Amino acid sequence: MIDSLLAWWSIAALAALSIALLMRFNQQLSFGHALYVGLGAYAGIICMRLADTTQLSVFILLVPLAGVLAALFAAIFIQRLLAAHTGMSYAMMTFGLGELMHQAALALPLFGGESGLSANRTAASLSLLASTTLVNGLSMGALVLVLFLWWHLERSELGFQAKLVRDNALRASSLGLSVINLRWKIGLVSAAIAGLAGALSAWQFEIASPEAFSARRSGEWLIAALMLGNHWPQVLAGAAILAFFAVLVAQSTAWWPGLYALLFVGLLFWKKK
């Protein structure tokens, strides 16, 4: 039970942090961030399968890197294309791209159909990560590194310039800052974190399916990022709430996503008051 909660929380925290980072520095709200999480998950599963077929354990150690690189490769083009947009136009474009990727994953044999691709973490060549406790420890370590990255970004030149663009893009442009480039760089950081979340989900759950790209997954990560606020302590708390519903409430009812969404709506009404 504790292992499952930690697994869900670490992945949800990373995915939600990637969305919150976009909002905090770029004022961009992503409705399709599961695209990057899904790419990270598939890249991770492919590495795990390579480790099993080649009997080279080095591939299992490359899972996080593969997830990050897969998401970054997609973000180089996607975030560049969307860097000029904020608000509802950005949200709808990310939603459309996420759904496009979801349908492509269902249609293309490369993604394994509806059942997706799986790998056995306890296979002989993957015995390095057979322990769930070890995988959870590595996931917690990755989360700590991302939090340090967030802390550093808040104090870096890139972070200050991105916030200036966020607050007044026209003024930032008049000062000689490239609005497009700054948003693109923040978008790449966000995508890398999301890809890492996907790779860790491959480690944890040993499967990647087209569901990873779905609007439902994007919605779960988005609600976790928005539920209590977009600063990192609030995002971590929001991810903990998602983990509670996905692990504990799910044991009692299959309607847990609806209850999770209902809690979010209730919190929004309460905040309005």
Side-chain angles (χ1 to χ4, degrees):
M1 181 69 68
I2 298 298
D3 285 338
S4 296
L5 280 170
L6 285 176
W8 255 97
W9 179 67
S10 60
I11 295 164
L14 288 169
L17 282 169
S18 69
I19 295 173
L21 186 140
L22 265 184
M23 291 189 293
R24 187 167 182 83
F25 291 93
N26 277 8
Q27 208 168 19
Q28 292 174 323
L29 185 62
S30 176
F31 282 10
H33 230 56
L35 185 154
Y36 300 121
V37 179
L39 286 174
Y42 269 96
I45 281 293
I46 289 171
C47 270
M48 292 172 70
R49 289 163 72 99
L50 284 173
D52 194 27
T53 55
T54 64
Q55 299 297 305
L56 294 175
S57 297
V58 66
F59 283 109
I60 200 68
L61 300 175
L62 294 177
V63 167
L65 179 62
V68 169
L69 290 179
L72 272 177
F73 181 77
I76 286 172
F77 303 100
I78 294 173
Q79 291 299 325
R80 192 71 182 186
L81 178 67
L82 303 184
H85 301 274
T86 57
M88 190 54 66
S89 63
Y90 181 87
M92 290 297 99
M93 288 178 183
T94 55
F95 175 77
L97 288 171
E99 277 303 287
L100 178 64
M101 191 66 209
H102 182 207
Q103 295 304 317
L106 286 170
L108 297 175
L110 173 67
F111 294 92
E114 288 189 19
S115 58
L117 302 176
S118 61
N120 183 8
R121 197 178 70 222
T122 60
S125 60
L126 307 183
S127 58
L128 183 64
L129 289 177
S131 169
T132 302
T133 303
L134 174 60
V135 174
N136 279 335
L138 292 171
S139 299
M140 292 298 109
L143 181 56
V144 170
L145 287 177
V146 168
L147 290 174
F148 175 76
L149 174 63
W150 182 299
W151 176 86
H152 177 72
L153 191 59
E154 288 274 10
R155 291 155 179 79
S156 68
E157 182 180 353
L158 174 61
F160 283 119
Q161 291 178 348
K163 288 180 181 179
L164 180 59
V165 169
R166 176 199 66 189
D167 295 337
N168 194 325
L170 185 60
R171 181 185 177 191
S173 181
S174 68
L175 292 174
L177 297 178
S178 174
V179 173
I180 300 297
N181 281 341
L182 286 168
R183 287 177 179 166
W184 180 59
K185 289 175 183 177
I186 295 295
L188 292 180
V189 175
S190 171
I193 296 172
L196 178 61
L200 292 179
S201 75
W203 258 359
Q204 294 278 10
F205 305 124
E206 305 170 46
I207 190 170
S209 71
E211 175 70 13
F213 298 107
S214 68
R216 171 184 166 179
R217 289 298 180 204
S218 289
E220 289 172 357
W221 311 138
L222 180 61
I223 290 175
L226 290 175
M227 183 171 285
L228 300 174
N230 65 4
H231 196 34
W232 67 264
Q234 299 162 324
V235 176
L236 293 183
I241 294 172
L242 172 56
F244 171 79
F245 274 87
V247 176
L248 297 180
V249 179
Q251 292 182 349
S252 301
T253 175
W255 289 88
W256 72 266
L259 297 176
Y260 176 61
L262 188 62
L263 174 63
F264 176 61
V265 173
L267 286 173
L268 287 179
F269 277 108
W270 179 75
K271 287 182 179 179
K272 284 292 183 181
K273 293 181 180 180

